[in-house]
Amino acid sequence: MSNLKDEQWSDQRLVTAVLNGHRHAFGLIIKKTEGLVAQMTFKMINSPGDRKDIAQDVYLKAFKNLRGFKFQSKLSTWIGQIAYNTCLHYLEKKKLVLIDNFGEDGEIPENNFNKDVRNDTEEKLFSKELANMLHTEIEQLKPLYKTLISLYHQEDLSYAEIAEITSLPEGTVKNYIFRARKMLKENILLKHKRNEL
């Protein structure tokens, strides 16, 4: 194998190298996708021991099925699909609730968590407190909402990429992300008001 840096390997070269018996190349695939797989398993699976087993299972499935990868999507998206489906199968087997069922919210506005920029130490403390509160509230969401929020806001994946990974229609992905944001906002406001009493 040539001395190209790890990040310079294209999906096609990596897959070809693995299929030709170069184990180092599969290590590079893991290195390129482990953040995505970790995000998904951490958000969908509560048990730390099971997370590790699931991540190993994801890469075992990817390795076994690599010959069938057709380059119709990015390799990371394909491995993301495997991770999502593996987590989903685990949750179904454990009969755990993936999302809460409640009414449709209609139109989905394109608003991210907007931050007003104030000044100095007070603002930094407030931002840190808000970030901690947000992290805590995200962890309280049902697995699917948690996962979608993470993929969109932390992994910076597009709605289309998330739809491809989860096999959900793009409109459903947008709707679920909107619902998750709405729940987060309501829960944070509720706790903030309770703390003021």
Side-chain angles (χ1 to χ4, degrees):
M1 293 183 67
S2 75
N3 292 334
L4 279 175
K5 289 185 178 173
D6 294 352
E7 59 273 2
Q8 291 177 314
W9 284 85
S10 69
D11 287 352
Q12 187 126 21
R13 282 193 70 200
L14 278 172
V15 170
T16 303
V18 173
L19 296 178
N20 287 333
H22 296 284
R23 291 190 179 273
H24 172 71
F26 196 73
L28 294 181
I29 290 174
I30 292 172
K31 194 173 169 186
K32 283 175 78 169
T33 60
E34 65 189 350
L36 176 64
V37 171
Q39 276 289 354
M40 296 181 80
T41 53
F42 268 75
K43 297 305 177 193
M44 292 183 81
I45 310 300
N46 286 330
S47 164
D50 288 344
R51 287 177 190 153
K52 189 176 179 184
D53 291 344
I54 287 168
Q56 288 174 346
D57 194 25
V58 167
Y59 286 112
L60 187 62
K61 287 177 183 175
F63 185 78
K64 282 182 179 176
N65 295 296
L66 200 57
R67 199 168 292 283
F69 178 60
K70 302 293 183 206
F71 302 98
Q72 293 169 336
S73 63
K74 291 194 292 190
L75 185 60
S76 59
T77 304
W78 181 71
I79 289 174
Q81 283 177 318
I82 294 171
Y84 177 78
N85 289 329
T86 304
C87 290
L88 200 57
H89 179 70
Y90 167 89
L91 292 172
E92 286 168 353
K93 211 163 77 175
K94 297 276 184 184
K95 295 182 173 31
L96 296 170
V97 179
L98 194 61
I99 58 168
D100 289 318
N101 269 335
F102 55 89
E104 297 298 314
D105 290 305
E107 287 300 306
I108 295 145
E110 280 290 327
N111 73 343
N112 292 334
F113 295 107
N114 295 325
K115 296 176 187 171
D116 293 327
V117 181
R118 293 184 203 144
N119 52 5
D120 282 10
T121 314
E122 186 182 315
E123 176 59 25
K124 285 177 186 168
L125 287 171
F126 178 76
S127 293
K128 188 173 181 182
E129 187 182 323
L130 189 61
N132 289 339
M133 197 185 299
L134 187 57
H135 175 74
T136 302
E137 289 307 319
I138 287 172
E139 290 306 311
Q140 302 305 313
L141 294 173
K142 293 294 181 190
L144 183 58
Y145 291 138
K146 224 188 321 190
T147 302
L148 296 178
I149 283 283
S150 298
L151 292 177
Y152 188 76
H153 288 287
Q154 292 172 310
E155 291 297 315
D156 290 325
L157 296 182
S158 67
Y159 291 128
E161 288 172 315
I162 296 169
E164 198 172 340
I165 285 171
T166 59
S167 299
L168 292 170
E170 196 171 326
T172 303
V173 169
K174 287 181 183 178
N175 196 334
Y176 284 173
I177 289 173
F178 173 70
R179 285 187 197 180
R181 287 179 185 150
K182 187 176 178 189
M183 281 188 275
L184 287 171
K185 185 178 176 183
E186 286 169 358
N187 291 344
I188 287 170
L189 287 174
L190 190 68
K191 285 192 177 161
H192 184 66
K193 281 178 184 169
R194 200 181 298 144
N195 290 342
E196 283 182 341
L197 294 176

